[in-house]
Amino acid sequence: GEFKQIGPWFENVSVGGTRFIDIKNIPDGEFEWNILCDDGKKQEFAPENWHITIAVNDPPVFEMENAFEVNENDVLEIKAVAQDPENSIVSYKINDKRFSQEGDIFKWKPSYEDAGEYKFIITASDGILESNLEIKVTVNNVNRDPILIKNIPHQTWDEDNNLEIELSKYFEDPDIEDILTYSISNTDHISATFQGTKVKLIPEKNWFGNEIVTFGAEDDEKANIESNEVVLTVDPINDKPVLQQIPDITVKEGDMV
């Protein structure tokens, strides 16, 4: 006889003279079915129906966003959300040890050196099947102010000489990629020139005395820091006598010159 299809998921298959019924793409559920036999003259169903239960396990399905943003030194918190079609309990994991985990919550506190783009994989499991979700995390750079490492000591040098100070001994920027620009407060008798991290102090010729100044450092983002007050002392030196030109003198005999 001949098997005829009685449902949208059944297919009549013949293999080596043996007849099979192939079930494809049938949804989960309870089904009742029978077979109609036809010999060309008469058709007849089997005396009893068969019952079949289809319960194919499906993996969890994610129901969450996959793009996140956080500033350096702030805490990023990601809540994993996935539903299981069979209502099984879903567990989660992530493929990076920088995250701590509490149930379905993942946390990461990027450092001040972690600015950039990252990709991670969150895995949801029902105990049998797993689903993966790739997430993208953007860590924004946070500028930090320059800092004064230590106070600049008072400076003393001789008149008619210059003094050079290495300012990197006293200032630094926590963001190592930043370049500091240095400055000095107003002075009356001492000028300053800067080259890299050094400052050259140049007093006026033949001047000696004290000036009180502060030095400043500014980073690429215009964040700045000011030093302590620094006393600049220029000591006098013993100059050689200078003979002034004596004009011609005319006197009479016997007069004092």
Side-chain angles (χ1 to χ4, degrees):
E2 179 184 0
F3 293 136
K4 292 187 176 180
Q5 180 176 323
I6 58 173
W9 308 292
F10 296 87
E11 183 178 345
N12 187 5
V13 180
S14 178
V15 180
T18 303
R19 298 280 186 158
F20 295 90
I21 295 177
D22 191 14
I23 303 175
K24 294 183 177 180
N25 301 321
I26 189 169
D28 291 354
E30 299 284 340
F31 297 89
E32 186 178 65
W33 61 286
N34 205 317
I35 297 176
L36 177 66
C37 296
D38 187 345
D39 62 2
K41 296 179 181 180
K42 186 178 180 182
Q43 295 180 341
E44 188 171 347
F45 283 102
E48 293 182 4
N49 289 338
W50 286 273
H51 296 269
I52 184 171
T53 300
I54 304 297
V56 178
N57 185 48
D58 295 304
V61 178
F62 280 99
E63 298 179 351
M64 57 179 287
E65 61 181 311
N66 65 346
F68 302 89
E69 187 172 340
V70 65
N71 291 331
E72 287 179 331
N73 209 44
D74 284 349
V75 176
L76 170 65
E77 183 174 302
I78 299 174
K79 179 178 176 61
V81 180
Q83 297 297 326
D84 186 73
E86 290 75 42
N87 294 321
S88 299
I89 296 175
V90 179
S91 60
Y92 303 94
K93 62 182 178 182
I94 196 167
N95 67 334
D96 198 287
K97 293 182 179 179
R98 284 173 287 191
F99 284 87
S100 62
Q101 181 178 359
E102 297 178 9
D104 58 358
I105 302 294
F106 298 98
K107 293 181 181 180
W108 175 36
K109 184 178 182 180
S111 73
Y112 279 111
E113 307 303 325
D114 286 332
E117 303 284 341
Y118 298 85
K119 290 182 179 179
F120 306 103
I121 300 293
I122 294 179
T123 300
S125 173
D126 64 4
I128 300 175
L129 298 179
E130 294 182 344
S131 295
N132 292 324
L133 177 68
E134 182 179 86
I135 63 171
K136 178 182 177 182
V137 175
T138 301
V139 180
N140 299 318
N141 181 65
V142 175
N143 186 62
R144 290 172 287 175
D145 292 350
I147 59 175
L148 182 68
I149 306 170
K150 58 183 177 181
N151 284 342
I152 301 175
H154 302 318
Q155 306 290 317
T156 301
W157 71 103
D158 289 339
E159 172 191 349
D160 294 332
N161 286 277
N162 301 328
L163 177 70
E164 190 172 83
I165 303 174
E166 176 56 68
L167 293 174
S168 64
K169 294 180 179 179
Y170 308 102
F171 296 97
E172 74 175 16
D173 195 301
D175 301 312
I176 57 176
E177 69 275 9
D178 283 354
I179 297 176
L180 294 179
T181 301
Y182 299 98
S183 61
I184 189 173
S185 59
N186 291 334
T187 56
D188 294 323
H189 302 284
I190 300 174
S191 61
T193 60
F194 295 89
Q195 185 172 6
T197 59
K198 296 179 180 179
V199 59
K200 181 184 288 187
L201 302 175
I202 308 168
E204 294 174 353
K205 187 174 179 58
N206 294 326
W207 178 85
F208 58 87
N210 297 322
E211 297 257 33
I212 299 176
V213 300
T214 57
F215 294 92
E218 183 177 87
D219 69 11
D220 300 335
E221 300 295 325
K222 305 302 181 183
N224 57 76
I225 185 70
E226 193 174 78
S227 75
N228 58 296
E229 289 189 338
V230 182
V231 179
L232 306 179
T233 301
V234 177
D235 287 338
I237 59 174
N238 185 28
D239 295 321
K240 295 179 181 180
V242 177
L243 179 64
Q244 301 293 331
Q245 184 175 0
I246 300 174
D248 295 337
I249 300 174
T250 302
V251 297
K252 296 178 179 180
E253 289 182 338
D255 289 347
M256 296 289 296
V257 176

